[in-house]
């Protein structure tokens, strides 16, 4: 093996986590342009954007949690809670219904954050309780029944357009900009990354670690609540048994594929968005080419394994 090849290998390993997802998107788009009929039709692109927007919103919160070396398995249940509460309070106005749904997200985030930061439970254990119990509570609130939602203002958020783009996309894009600003330009963002990088040293430096952790879990749950109410607005009905089902897996996948390591200390916001887009393109491509759902799941699993392996290689250097 030549000296140049030996020198190139470490550079490739450091380059892949940061930019590999973008290369994969470009290659997949080129494949679809060449071999998938009507791929560039606006109707198809619109559908893909609408489907990926809730995943992006949830993944943003998940990225922040993972940046602290944590995990949040309760985001799907939070979406279900938000969906169950919306129809109950629409009679008081759409603003009141949205505020109640967001308040539920805040309360769940406070519980998760307190269990992790103050009680000292492992994040996967702390959030697993609400992963199960949260959806059960949502089913109790909704009576286990699908409820139609008939409010034009709310429906506009999920199904309307603004300047030719779905409102869902505008909302997701705005949240991406906000989260990116928080991570890169605020003291809170630097503290968040410091906790994920080295929590004991951060505590010794006088950073209010517990308060930051609780805030991170609250933000994650609030973003999940937003995704939940937008899901209700899009489908114009509330079904606590299906809204947000298994979205935590999609969110974690988007974060990991986007280059944010599970070991914390780094948050790639744009990478998370790209990861969500990549997985959506993979699924859409396989559906368009009539591949079985089992094949799709195998490919998704393989992508996750590769992303985790690449991130592990970088961390070990």
């Amino acid at each position: 093996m030549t000296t140049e090849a030996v020198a190139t290998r470490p550079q490739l390993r450091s380059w892949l986590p940061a930019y590999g997802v973008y290369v994969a998107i470009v290659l997949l788009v080129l494949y679809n342009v060449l071999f998938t009929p009507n791929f560039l039709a606006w109707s198809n692109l619109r559908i893909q954007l609408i489907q990926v927007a809730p995943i992006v919103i949830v993944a943003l919160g998940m990225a922040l949690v993972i940046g602290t070396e944590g995990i949040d398995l309760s985001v799907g249940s939070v979406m279900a809670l938000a969906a169950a509460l919306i129809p109950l309070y629409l009679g008081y106005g759409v603003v009141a219904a949205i505020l109640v749904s967001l308040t539920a997200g805040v309360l769940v985030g406070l519980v998760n954050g307190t269990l992790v930061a103050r009680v000292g439970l492992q994040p996967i254990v702390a959030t697993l309780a609400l992963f199960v119990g949260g959806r059960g509570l949502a089913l109790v609130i909704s009576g286990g029944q699908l409820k139609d939602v008939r409010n034009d203002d709310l429906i506009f958020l999920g199904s309307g357009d603004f300047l030719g783009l779905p409102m869902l996309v505008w909302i997701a894009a705005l949240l991406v900009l906000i989260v990116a600003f928080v991570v890169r330009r605020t003291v809170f963002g630097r503290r968040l990354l410091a906790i994920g990088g080295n929590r004991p040293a951060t505590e010794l430096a006088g950073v209010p670690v517990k308060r930051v952790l609780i805030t991170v879990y609250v933000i994650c749950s609030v973003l999940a609540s937003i995704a939940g109410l937008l899901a209700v607005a899009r489908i114009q009905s509330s079904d606590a048994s299906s809204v947000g089902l298994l979205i935590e897996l999609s969110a974690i996948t988007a974060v990991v594929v986007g280059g944010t390591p599970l070991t914390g200390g780094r948050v790639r916001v744009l990478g998370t968005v790209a990861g969500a887009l990549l997985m959506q393109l993979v699924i859409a491509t396989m559906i368009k080419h009539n591949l079985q759902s089992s094949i799709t799941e195998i490919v998704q699993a393989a992508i996750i394994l590769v992303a985790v392996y690449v991130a592990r290689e970088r961390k070990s250097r």
Side-chain angles (χ1 to χ4, degrees), residues 27-39 285 288-289:
L27 293 176
L28 196 53
V29 168
L30 288 176
Y31 173 84
N32 279 284
V33 169
L34 294 174
F35 300 107
T36 303
N38 301 317
F39 175 75
T285 300
K288 290 285 187 180
H289 291 272

Side-chain angles (χ1 to χ4, degrees), residues 257-290:
V257 170
T260 297
L262 291 172
T263 48
R266 187 187 303 271
V267 174
R268 294 191 179 276
V269 177
L270 293 181
T272 297
V273 177
L277 288 172
L278 175 62
M279 300 311 295
Q280 177 63 33
L281 281 172
V282 168
I283 295 171
T285 300
M286 294 190 168
I287 291 174
K288 290 285 187 180
H289 291 272
N290 299 316

Side-chain angles (χ1 to χ4, degrees), residues 4 8 23 30 33 64 76 79 85 95 147 175 218 249 275 292 315:
E4 290 80 3
T8 300
V23 174
L30 288 176
V33 169
L64 296 179
M79 286 184 64
L85 289 168
V95 174
K147 297 183 178 180
L175 292 172
V218 168
L249 301 182
Q292 297 179 356
K315 184 72 175 179

Side-chain angles (χ1 to χ4, degrees), residues 113-196:
T114 300
L115 291 175
V116 172
R118 298 195 180 279
V119 179
L121 293 181
Q122 290 293 325
I124 193 171
V125 176
T127 59
L128 182 61
L130 283 167
F131 167 78
V132 178
R135 189 170 295 275
L137 178 59
L139 288 169
V140 170
I141 291 173
S142 65
Q145 298 179 345
L146 185 147
K147 297 183 178 180
D148 290 334
V149 173
R150 294 290 180 263
N151 182 284
D152 292 339
D153 294 330
L154 183 63
I155 291 173
F156 175 73
L157 295 177
S159 305
D161 283 14
F162 179 69
L163 297 180
L165 284 176
M167 279 299 298
L168 271 173
V169 177
W170 285 110
I171 294 170
L174 176 62
L175 292 172
V176 168
L177 292 176
I178 292 172
V179 172
F181 176 81
V182 168
V183 171
R184 297 183 180 182
R185 302 294 183 183
T186 67
V187 173
F188 174 80
R190 290 193 290 272
R191 287 175 172 177
L192 181 157
L193 299 179
I195 292 170

